[in-house]
Amino acid sequence: MDNTELLTRFNLTRHEATIYLTLLADGDLNGYEVSKITGISRSNAYASLASLVEKGAAFIIEGETTRYTPVPVEEFCGNKIRSLQESKQELIKNIPQRREDAEGYITITGEHRILDKMRNMISESKSRVYLSVSGNILPDLLTEIQVAHQRGIKMVVITDTPFPQEGMTVHVLEKPKKQVRIIVDSTTVLTGDIDEGEFSTCLYSGKKNVVDLLKESLQNEIKVVEMMRGFEAK
């Protein structure tokens, strides 16, 4: 993902992102100069510059001609994130709560949505997490795993590569490279495959029979690891 695409995630249009990157690279510019450098029409360049100021990505320098200077990217992104965090807290406070969680089976598709759900499940855990994933997926969850462990959450990880984390229970077992399975607090589960990006599919559920079934499966994996250790010790 290039810088222009990343900036669109911070509420900039592609034209605005292109101009913002130009300001960062070339310094203070007026509308005519921006148009000449970027190839964006002069009218669109002036409109985008005004919008960048409104969105907090640029400041105006007054003089014989109006020039624009970029807000440092760390400051611009930090301001956006802080504003979103404040909006998030306001929404959490004011939006009506669901009377009860949805029952049944929810299908989650797309690699990034599945990883986001797993991160949220780990972050919202209250007592324990059982996680069975291949080693190539673990780095995407490492921050949430470490933070949960620091909060005192019991973390049990089953994976196919050594994963030295002090105080965590880690079982090493050969696993399908794309498979993911997680149980949180013995109340919710997510299971499926991360494969081919947007073609990835997982099932999320809070149904007791699904939780019990997956729990039994993970317990069997742990028993296999313990048996293998026993054979190796002989």
Side-chain angles (χ1 to χ4, degrees):
M1 188 177 296
D2 63 19
N3 289 334
T4 300
E5 187 69 25
L6 287 170
L7 284 168
T8 63
R9 296 190 172 192
F10 287 84
N11 197 33
L12 299 186
T13 67
R14 295 193 72 84
H15 273 178
E16 291 164 1
T18 298
I19 293 173
Y20 178 60
L21 291 170
T22 300
L23 291 174
L24 289 170
D26 295 319
D28 308 338
L29 300 170
N30 60 32
Y32 170 77
E33 292 166 333
V34 165
S35 176
K36 186 176 180 180
I37 293 170
T38 62
I40 297 171
S41 70
R42 196 179 301 185
S43 60
N44 285 336
Y46 278 108
S48 295
L49 284 164
S51 185
L52 285 174
V53 172
E54 184 179 345
K55 293 179 179 180
F59 294 126
I60 293 175
I61 302 174
E62 299 290 356
E64 291 185 8
T65 61
T66 300
R67 303 180 75 80
Y68 299 83
T69 188
V71 173
V73 67
E74 185 174 353
E75 181 179 338
F76 167 65
C77 293
N79 290 340
K80 285 291 185 184
I81 292 169
R82 183 167 54 253
S83 177
L84 283 171
Q85 288 286 2
E86 292 170 356
S87 297
K88 169 189 170 183
Q89 294 305 318
E90 193 69 17
L91 283 168
I92 290 172
K93 183 172 67 176
N94 295 326
I95 283 184
Q97 298 297 309
R98 292 178 63 166
R99 294 180 182 176
E100 55 186 44
D101 290 335
E103 295 186 0
Y105 311 99
I106 298 171
T107 300
I108 301 175
T109 59
E111 180 176 352
H112 72 279
R113 286 182 287 272
I114 291 170
L115 289 172
D116 280 344
K117 187 62 177 176
M118 294 179 74
R119 293 182 186 112
N120 288 327
M121 290 174 72
I122 295 169
S123 296
E124 294 168 6
S125 60
K126 295 179 173 58
S127 58
R128 65 181 65 87
V129 174
Y130 287 82
L131 177 65
S132 176
V133 296
S134 59
N136 64 313
I137 296 172
L138 273 175
D140 293 313
L141 306 171
L142 185 57
T143 298
E144 288 73 23
I145 290 172
Q146 291 175 334
V147 170
H149 178 60
Q150 290 167 4
R151 291 194 292 116
I153 302 300
K154 178 182 178 181
M155 295 291 309
V156 177
V157 178
I158 305 171
T159 187
D160 56 3
T161 57
F163 183 62
Q165 295 290 323
E166 186 176 349
M168 291 187 200
T169 302
V170 180
H171 302 283
V172 179
L173 180 68
E174 188 67 28
K175 299 187 59 59
K177 289 294 182 186
K178 310 294 184 180
Q179 188 181 76
V180 297
R181 294 191 288 179
I182 180 172
I183 304 175
V184 173
D185 299 331
S186 297
T187 58
T188 56
V189 302
L190 184 141
T191 180
D193 297 294
I194 291 182
D195 187 19
E196 306 270 337
E198 288 303 303
F199 295 98
S200 304
T201 303
C202 279
L203 178 75
Y204 173 81
S205 180
K207 276 188 167 292
K208 185 177 184 303
N209 62 325
V210 181
V211 173
D212 290 344
L213 185 64
L214 194 58
K215 186 185 297 184
E216 182 179 352
S217 176
L218 294 185
Q219 287 171 344
N220 287 337
E221 285 192 24
I222 293 171
K223 288 178 183 177
V224 169
V225 175
E226 292 172 346
M227 288 174 59
M228 292 174 62
R229 286 175 181 165
F231 285 128
E232 290 172 357
K234 290 181 180 180

